[in-house]
Amino acid sequence: MTDAPPAPHEDRLDYTPLARSVTLARRRTARLVTEWGHPALAGDVALVVSELMTNALLHGSLRDRLIRVRITVTGVTLRVEVSDPRGERLPSPCSVDEVEDTDQFGRGLLLVGALAHRWGWEPRSVGKTVYAEWVLGVDPAVGNPLVGVRE
């Protein structure tokens, strides 16, 4: 008798484009990932959601348009997505050499690339979705490039 893969989990919530939404999304993500049986990943996933939400707020938001956070867990993959209405403003990671020690911004996508197994973006009919994925049961630090690619 073989064990069936665990049932998938999904959560989706829309946030207003306000700074406090970043904190709310980060806390919700950490709680859900822990409840869904992956407490060792909860901190990294929450930090990635925080970075993607901050980017969406700073570079992808429009007045009166919501930012959507979607988290899914299947038997082998945990994926977070942050969707915003600005499809013309695509994510562009800086290289490590481009960011000065005193720069306050510019490291977010480097962090996402370092924490997740892979990340990228997908166009939507209106806007874009930036995502990050973890292969469950595999250490994200193994063989992980620091920049994402569009798939």
Side-chain angles (χ1 to χ4, degrees):
M1 179 172 152
T2 61
D3 292 332
H9 297 280
E10 179 177 0
D11 183 73
R12 179 176 39 215
L13 191 62
D14 293 335
Y15 293 89
T16 55
L18 301 171
R20 68 185 171 112
S21 294
V22 175
T23 302
L24 296 172
R26 181 179 60 244
R27 288 179 181 163
R28 181 180 181 90
T29 298
R31 180 179 54 80
L32 289 171
V33 171
T34 299
E35 287 175 4
W36 293 346
H38 305 284
L41 283 177
D44 287 354
V45 177
L47 179 56
V48 167
V49 165
S50 180
E51 293 297 334
L52 296 181
M53 277 288 291
T54 299
N55 283 350
L57 182 65
L58 293 174
H59 308 293
S61 64
L62 293 171
R63 185 182 172 137
D64 298 329
R65 297 296 307 265
L66 300 175
I67 298 169
R68 173 168 288 171
V69 176
R70 181 174 177 250
I71 309 163
T72 56
V73 175
T74 64
V76 296
T77 305
L78 187 152
R79 178 176 169 118
V80 296
E81 301 174 351
V82 176
S83 301
D84 66 59
R86 303 275 314 261
E88 76 281 5
R89 307 254 350 238
L90 302 178
S92 178
C94 296
S95 73
V96 175
D97 298 334
E98 292 177 293
V99 182
E100 298 291 327
D101 290 342
T102 56
D103 287 347
Q104 203 172 16
F105 298 99
R107 295 176 183 84
L109 292 175
L110 291 173
L111 284 171
V112 171
L115 294 173
H117 282 113
R118 70 184 193 126
W119 75 272
W121 66 273
E122 301 166 341
R124 298 177 45 148
S125 56
V126 174
K128 67 182 171 301
T129 296
V130 182
Y131 66 87
E133 293 181 339
W134 290 260
V135 177
L136 298 176
V138 176
D139 182 1
V142 175
N144 188 2
L146 288 178
V147 294
V149 295
R150 179 172 180 229
E151 306 233 323

